[in-house]
């Protein structure tokens, strides 16, 4: 990966200062919470309303990144508070699923890596063991979600899971027991074959027969429809396959990440404001800033893994362009709101549009910190 130009370095330093100037007072006025979104500019609190919600690790991850950046103990205390609150989730089995990675990597696993404390190791291993229990050997996939609303999801796998696999890779590194990694690799191989299309775009949901393992269909999921290209799903694919390369050293995952990235760059609108789906109708202006931030962080991961290889720079250039576009057009830097990113979206067809979402802020901060060489490796 090329080194940053002086102008880029100055921009990165200025953004880190803006992040710190905002997030110190915002955190001070939101102590002891687990935010997901904002209501009238103020963070909500999922620890009160929904402790099992899949995004509940991101505020902890943001706090650890900011602690690493500033050394301010308040951020560490808040991160530990999130981790301890999540213990309630460990006792609610229907609220545990493949997203154990999103919840316990940015809380217990990163704290254990930093502080080597026994409680965090226990939590991380409980989360990893439960996730490993979701592996279906008939189809070599990790079941994503549980059944709610009377939908049978025994055979569901989703592209997002690629971001959860590091929990299993970590469990093998920590215990030397290969089983966790074997399952992660088997899932990654299945995902390569069944999610990634010829043109590099990816499905959101793939359904397998849970008894025979045969793939039965793909679903549009949170995107526009069957065969469409949900932007956040594409970003999970770029980032997630790059991570499988980092944890295994296997180049085929790097090539897969690159293939998805090339598709995404070919579909990027001129404005570099990312839609909810790269194949949504042309007259629809719905956006998802979370997809922009995750894509940027994933592209930096990809560029870093490619190192000096030809073509790596274009991924770094694209990441910086996405982050600069967010900075200029889609971030509230003032203290009138708790969130950073605006114009985030849950999905295409629901009503969660034009809102703030915590993981958008997390991945924006992570990406800028990566550019500065100051990010913690949480995923
Ligand atoms: N993992 C669910 C989502 O990205 O919305």
């Amino acid at each position: 990966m090329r080194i940053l130009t002086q102008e880029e370095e100055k921009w990165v330093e200025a953004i880190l200062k803006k992040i710190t100037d905002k997030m110190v007072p915002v955190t001070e006025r939101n102590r002891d919470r687990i935010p997901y979104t904002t209501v009238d500019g103020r963070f909500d609190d999922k620890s009160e309303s929904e402790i099992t919600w899949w995004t509940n690790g991101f505020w902890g991850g943001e706090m650890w990144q900011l602690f690493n950046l500033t050394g301010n103990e308040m951020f560490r205390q808040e991160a530990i508070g999130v981790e301890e609150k999540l213990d309630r989730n460990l006792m609610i089995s229907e609220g545990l699923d493949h997203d154990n990675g999103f919840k316990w990597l940015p809380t217990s696993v990163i704290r254990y890596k930093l502080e080597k404390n026994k409680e965090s190791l226990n939590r991380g291993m409980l989360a990893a063991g439960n996730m490993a229990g979701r592996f279906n050997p008939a189809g070599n996939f990790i079941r994503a979600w549980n059944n709610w609303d009377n939908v049978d999801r025994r055979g569901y796998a989703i592209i997002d899971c690629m971001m959860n696999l590091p929990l299993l890779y970590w469990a093998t590194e920590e215990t030397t027991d290969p089983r966790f990694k074997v399952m992660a690799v088997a899932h990654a191989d299945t995902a390569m074959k069944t999610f990634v299309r010829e043109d590099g775009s990816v499905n959101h949901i793939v359904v397998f027969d849970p008894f025979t393992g045969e793939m039965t269909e793909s679903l549009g999921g949170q995107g526009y429809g069957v065969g469409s290209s949900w932007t956040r799903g594409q970003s999970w694919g770029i980032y997630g396959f790059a991570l499988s390369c980092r944890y295994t050293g296997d180049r085929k995952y790097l090539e897969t990440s690159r293939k998805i990235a090339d598709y995404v760059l070919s579909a990027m609108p001129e404005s570099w404001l990312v839609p909810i789906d790269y194949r949504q109708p042309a007259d629809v202006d719905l956006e998802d800033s979370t997809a922009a931030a995750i894509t940027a962080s994933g592209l930096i991961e990809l560029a870093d893994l490619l190192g000096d290889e030809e073509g790596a720079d274009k991924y770094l250039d694209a990441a910086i362009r996405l982050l600069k576009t967010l900075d200029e057009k889609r971030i509230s830097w003032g203290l009138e709101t708790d969130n950073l990113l605006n114009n985030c979206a849950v999905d295409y067809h629901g009503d969660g549009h034009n809102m703030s979402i915590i993981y958008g802020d997390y991945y924006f901060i992570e990406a800028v910190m990566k550019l500065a060489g100051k990010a913690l490796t949480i995923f």
Side-chain angles (χ1 to χ4, degrees):
M1 187 166 94
R2 70 170 171 81
I3 56 166
L4 300 189
T5 64
Q6 272 189 348
E7 182 271 329
E8 287 166 344
E9 266 180 12
K10 267 176 72 179
W11 177 80
V12 166
E13 283 311 314
I15 297 296
L16 290 181
K17 181 169 181 329
K18 286 206 270 186
I19 289 170
T20 310
D21 287 350
K22 173 153 179 166
M23 291 317 297
V24 170
V26 163
T27 307
E28 277 166 356
R29 71 188 183 198
N30 284 285
R31 301 297 298 261
D32 212 25
R33 285 168 177 251
I34 307 184
Y36 167 56
T37 186
T38 44
V39 179
D40 298 328
R42 289 289 173 269
F43 278 142
D44 63 351
D45 182 10
K46 280 285 186 192
S47 69
E48 287 294 326
S49 60
E50 201 175 2
I51 195 60
T52 59
W53 185 235
W54 75 275
T55 68
N56 282 351
F58 286 104
W59 180 245
E62 187 171 323
M63 296 294 100
W64 279 118
Q65 295 289 7
L66 293 174
F67 176 63
N68 202 46
L69 183 67
T70 63
N72 183 332
E73 177 64 17
M74 168 182 69
F75 293 126
R76 179 176 166 275
Q77 289 304 330
E78 289 308 298
I80 292 172
V82 173
E83 179 185 358
E84 290 174 348
K85 286 188 205 323
L86 281 176
D87 283 356
R88 275 196 284 139
N89 188 175
L90 282 172
M91 293 305 291
I92 305 174
S93 64
E94 70 270 22
L96 296 168
D97 59 23
H98 77 139
D99 284 334
N100 289 2
F102 279 129
K103 290 186 220 167
W104 280 280
L105 284 167
T107 52
S108 300
V109 175
I110 188 60
R111 181 171 171 212
Y112 174 68
K113 285 182 184 168
L114 294 170
E115 303 187 348
K116 293 288 169 222
N117 62 317
K118 186 91 177 128
E119 300 80 20
S120 296
L121 175 64
N122 278 338
R123 291 166 177 138
M125 285 309 302
L126 283 171
N130 176 274
M131 184 177 162
R134 304 185 71 81
F135 182 73
N136 183 331
N140 283 324
F141 68 91
I142 292 167
R143 174 179 171 174
W145 295 319
N146 300 327
N147 296 349
W148 69 89
D149 299 341
N150 292 322
V151 177
D152 177 2
R153 297 193 181 82
R154 288 174 297 177
Y156 274 40
I158 69 174
I159 189 66
D160 323 27
C161 189
M162 294 304 300
M163 294 296 292
N164 289 317
L165 297 184
L167 182 62
L168 300 183
Y169 292 128
W170 165 77
T172 282
E173 281 173 5
E174 189 52 41
T175 61
T176 73
D177 184 332
R179 292 174 301 158
F180 303 98
K181 184 175 177 184
V182 167
M183 291 182 210
V185 165
H187 179 90
D189 288 349
T190 301
M192 255 176 57
K193 285 187 218 122
T194 55
F195 282 80
V196 186
R197 307 183 187 120
E198 202 48 46
D199 67 357
S201 64
V202 298
N203 292 311
H204 181 202
I205 301 175
V206 170
V207 186
F208 300 91
D209 180 312
F211 297 98
T212 67
E214 188 193 341
M215 175 179 166
T216 55
E217 60 180 329
S218 69
L219 304 176
Q222 287 163 254
Y224 178 63
V226 177
S228 77
S229 142
W230 176 48
T231 55
R232 194 159 63 248
Q234 315 307 297
S235 66
W236 294 140
I238 294 171
Y239 200 162
F241 279 106
L243 291 177
S244 272
C245 171
R246 180 146 63 72
Y247 284 97
T248 65
D250 194 330
R251 178 113 203 151
K252 70 185 176 204
Y253 302 129
L254 190 62
E255 295 307 335
T256 305
S257 170
R258 191 170 193 164
K259 182 171 171 173
I260 304 168
D262 286 343
Y263 161 74
V264 163
L265 296 188
S266 76
M268 192 59 70
E270 270 175 35
S271 64
W272 286 68
L273 295 169
V274 173
I276 297 180
D277 194 306
Y278 289 116
R279 293 179 181 154
Q280 70 194 28
D283 59 346
V284 171
D285 61 2
L286 292 173
E287 277 176 43
D288 183 13
S289 300
T290 74
I294 300 161
T295 300
S297 199
L299 289 172
I300 297 168
E301 198 71 33
L302 172 60
D304 186 46
L305 284 162
L306 286 167
D308 295 337
E309 284 182 44
E310 206 176 321
D313 291 357
K314 90 171 166 202
Y315 304 115
L316 182 63
D317 295 345
I320 292 172
R321 189 157 178 193
L322 282 165
L323 296 169
K324 282 190 168 173
T325 304
L326 287 173
D327 168 37
E328 284 159 18
K329 301 196 166 135
R330 292 295 180 260
I331 294 190
S332 298
W333 287 115
L335 286 173
E336 65 283 0
T337 63
D338 287 339
N339 60 291
L340 295 176
L341 268 60
N342 300 305
N343 296 67
C344 303
V346 176
D347 53 15
Y348 186 87
H349 291 289
D351 50 15
H353 297 160
N354 295 315
M355 58 191 281
S356 71
I357 305 185
I358 196 67
Y359 48 85
D361 289 9
Y362 172 80
Y363 284 106
F364 179 82
I365 292 171
E366 182 197 77
V368 179
M369 286 182 64
K370 278 183 186 174
L371 292 177
K374 293 180 177 168
L376 288 169
T377 302
I378 287 183
F379 288 97

